[in-house]
Amino acid sequence: MQQTETSTAPAAPDRPVAVRAAAAPTGLSPSRAGDFLTCPLLYRLRVIDRLPEPPSPAATRGTLVHAVLERLFDSPAADRTPERALGLLRPQWERLLGERPELAGLFPQDPDGAALTRWLSDAEKLVAQWFRLEDPTRLHPVERELYVETALDSGLLLRGYIDRVDVAPTGEVRLVDYKTGRAPSRDFEGKAMFQMKFYALVVWRWKGVIPRRLQLVYLGGGGDVVSYDPDEADLLAVERKLLALWERIGHAVATGDFPATRNRLCDWCDHRASCPEFGGTPPPYPLPLARTPDEDDPAGDQKSKESQ
């Protein structure tokens, strides 16, 4: 699923880069919550500084595959065939190019189009994999790429896009998300399902219905479908976690204290030049400070006293 609140991607080399003004965060999506939990500095650079990020072949391929799977359901059930889905790839790629001209720079050293052809072939494999995992002729989604948003009693705004919403004849709701990567190991499975619990919480607080099933469909590797059936206790726990996370974010916004956290995703980060972990320097903090990092921090006060 492609999330909102992402940074504006830079244009192709011959186009000016679109830069948005810095702003304080107004709510949480699963992606941005994950950013802060992974690396607070990454969260700051994306959400507050809004530094541009170049489009990547992997992320753009995911966007293309999502678009194909969404559009396939425009066809009658009997016509949702692998051939029809694969036939949507080129038109959807042309549509994306029209909407985001900077994507033309994904393959700058590709005079004969060989790199683009290989990239599209990889997308074809992901689409074909989906047909081995689900049968679209038997699916009748009530929503695709559904934008959801709700405010908790605390005022915290939660939002995001759900790839697919299925409703059984008996009324049970299933939320489905497509992933173009490999299924995670058991050690990371819970982290991946947190996104779906986030969506389930939003739907529950918005519509008053707890989804019967949460489903992650992994198209990479050998393909896999991971399901989880949440209950009220699960979603209340997610709500508490998000409220605590939002409090931490609020403190960081007020103090400008967004530490960098080295992690396994650093090798793919677009902001290493701004990261102290790699010898970089973050840009000046663009928002007014409400307090210093040590204010309202008893541990920090104690350390200050001990140093006197």
Side-chain angles (χ1 to χ4, degrees), residues 51-136:
L51 296 187
E53 297 179 349
S56 73
T60 306
R61 185 171 53 237
T63 300
L64 175 60
V65 170
H66 276 76
V68 168
L69 299 188
E70 179 187 1
R71 299 298 182 189
L72 183 65
F73 286 102
D74 291 340
S75 302
D79 294 337
R80 298 172 194 161
T81 63
E83 294 75 19
R84 189 173 189 86
L86 295 176
L88 290 170
L89 273 167
R90 281 280 181 175
Q92 287 303 309
W93 169 236
E94 295 297 329
R95 179 185 64 80
L96 287 175
L97 278 177
E99 294 175 354
R100 298 175 57 192
E102 70 271 16
L103 295 180
L106 280 175
F107 308 102
Q109 306 299 323
D110 188 31
D112 60 356
L116 174 60
T117 298
R118 288 192 298 271
W119 182 80
L120 287 171
S121 177
D122 289 340
E124 290 178 352
K125 293 174 184 175
L126 294 173
V127 171
Q129 179 81 282
W130 179 61
F131 281 87
R132 292 190 282 272
L133 300 171
E134 295 192 289
D135 180 359

Side-chain angles (χ1 to χ4, degrees), residues 61-223:
R61 185 171 53 237
T63 300
L64 175 60
V65 170
H66 276 76
V68 168
L69 299 188
E70 179 187 1
R71 299 298 182 189
L72 183 65
F73 286 102
D74 291 340
S75 302
D79 294 337
R80 298 172 194 161
T81 63
E83 294 75 19
R84 189 173 189 86
L86 295 176
L88 290 170
L89 273 167
R90 281 280 181 175
Q92 287 303 309
W93 169 236
E94 295 297 329
R95 179 185 64 80
L96 287 175
L97 278 177
E99 294 175 354
R100 298 175 57 192
E102 70 271 16
L103 295 180
L106 280 175
F107 308 102
Q109 306 299 323
D110 188 31
D112 60 356
L116 174 60
T117 298
R118 288 192 298 271
W119 182 80
L120 287 171
S121 177
D122 289 340
E124 290 178 352
K125 293 174 184 175
L126 294 173
V127 171
Q129 179 81 282
W130 179 61
F131 281 87
R132 292 190 282 272
L133 300 171
E134 295 192 289
D135 180 359
T137 65
R138 303 179 61 183
L139 298 173
H140 302 281
V142 297
E143 298 287 355
R144 289 166 282 153
E145 286 296 317
L146 174 66
Y147 177 74
V148 293
E149 177 180 293
T150 194
L152 303 181
D153 291 341
S154 67
L156 171 57
L157 185 67
L158 304 179
R159 53 177 172 248
Y161 282 89
I162 303 173
D163 286 344
R164 199 178 84 217
V165 180
D166 301 333
V167 178
T170 50
E172 290 91 348
V173 175
R174 177 173 63 188
L175 307 183
V176 180
D177 195 77
Y178 307 121
K179 299 293 186 185
T180 51
R182 297 173 179 269
S185 66
R186 290 191 176 275
D187 292 339
F188 293 97
E189 191 174 289
K191 183 177 180 181
M193 190 55 71
F194 172 75
Q195 171 190 352
M196 300 307 293
K197 292 180 181 180
F198 181 109
Y199 292 136
L201 172 63
V202 174
V203 170
W204 180 36
R205 292 307 191 197
W206 176 35
K207 294 292 188 180
V209 175
I210 295 178
R212 175 69 178 83
R213 175 154 295 180
L214 311 177
Q215 186 164 294
L216 289 164
V217 181
Y218 289 96
L219 305 178

